[in-house]
Amino acid sequence: MKLYDGGRAPNPRRVRIFLHEKGISVPMVPVDMGVMEHKGPQMSALNPMQRLPVLELDDGTCLTESVAICRYFEELNPEPPLFGEGALGRARVEMWQRRIEFHLFMAVAAAFRHLHPAMKEWEVPQVPDWGEANKPKVKEFLEFLDKELADRRFIAGDDYTIADITALVSVDFMKPARIDIPDGLDHLMRWYHTVAGRPSAKA
């Protein structure tokens, strides 16, 4: 088994944080996305969509998509449970995971991919108006999330889950996307300092 990793990119980082929280060690194969190595023949054979990360199992089976890879490891190593416990707990984590992905992660990514000069060859065509349109969406969702975090420690409840991982990576990705966190979001910042201070955040 080996994990083809894309370094500082958000999706590979999500998997690394998840694995660290689980205490799972997987051999890493670094892939230099800066020189488009993920679009080369080797990676294209493993993942025709030319995206990272890619988990290659011992029998040659490849899993792609960061949450799918995390789910695979959750099934093999259920403790600690990062996708929730029980029918309601798992549904609540899934609800928040999707909310974070749709309304924060993807909005930040759109701003970055459509506005950052370094992404000109990646996002074809770049649509700057779409990038700008997503910036206020990010801030609106963070304001919503701040209110939600007023009465609980983590995104989906009292326990740290994959929803927190996705949210942490999204907020950190706001810096290269050149989006500032609005002032006055005290609950959000309390949550952020808690999750960013976990050892896994450095994975």
Side-chain angles (χ1 to χ4, degrees):
M1 181 186 296
K2 50 192 169 185
L3 183 67
Y4 293 86
D5 178 66
R8 297 174 64 186
N11 279 308
R13 186 181 175 215
R14 280 205 279 182
V15 174
R16 290 197 310 274
I17 292 173
F18 188 92
L19 291 174
H20 192 286
E21 289 285 341
K22 287 283 187 181
I24 299 171
S25 178
V26 178
M28 298 277 180
V29 180
V31 179
D32 190 343
M33 299 179 75
V35 297
M36 300 292 188
E37 193 175 356
H38 59 297
K39 293 184 178 291
Q42 180 188 7
M43 294 309 305
S44 296
L46 296 174
N47 181 10
M49 294 194 74
Q50 302 178 324
R51 301 291 177 92
L52 293 171
V54 176
L55 178 67
E56 184 178 12
L57 306 183
D58 292 343
D59 66 358
T61 299
C62 288
L63 285 175
T64 66
E65 306 302 332
S66 56
V67 176
I69 292 170
C70 292
R71 282 191 179 275
Y72 175 75
F73 285 112
E74 178 89 348
E75 291 295 323
L76 294 178
N77 303 271
E79 296 296 331
L82 296 180
F83 279 89
E85 292 186 278
L88 179 59
R90 284 191 289 270
R92 184 174 283 123
V93 171
E94 180 71 13
M95 176 183 78
W96 277 104
Q97 164 69 10
R98 290 173 70 81
R99 283 177 167 180
I100 297 296
E101 282 198 317
F102 290 156
H103 301 292
L104 182 59
F105 187 90
M106 291 176 67
V108 175
F112 177 75
R113 294 180 72 93
H114 287 277
L115 291 170
H116 201 289
M119 296 302 292
K120 189 173 183 179
E121 295 180 10
W122 292 48
E123 194 64 45
V124 181
Q126 270 191 325
V127 184
D129 286 348
W130 178 237
E132 291 293 348
N134 274 277
K135 287 185 174 182
K137 293 177 184 292
V138 172
K139 294 183 179 181
E140 288 168 11
F141 185 78
L142 290 180
E143 290 167 354
F144 163 76
L145 191 57
D146 180 70
K147 293 182 177 68
E148 289 289 322
L149 286 166
D151 60 358
R152 61 180 180 269
R153 189 178 181 200
F154 295 111
I155 298 289
D158 293 329
D159 298 314
Y160 181 93
T161 69
I162 191 169
D164 296 288
I165 294 173
T166 299
L168 168 65
V169 170
S170 301
V171 171
D172 283 345
F173 196 36
M174 288 171 61
K175 184 174 182 179
R178 299 170 185 170
I179 305 173
D180 295 327
I181 298 175
D183 293 332
L185 303 186
D186 296 339
H187 305 302
L188 178 79
M189 294 312 298
R190 182 268 308 157
W191 162 85
Y192 176 78
H193 291 307
T194 296
V195 295
R198 295 171 76 95
S200 62
K202 298 179 176 60

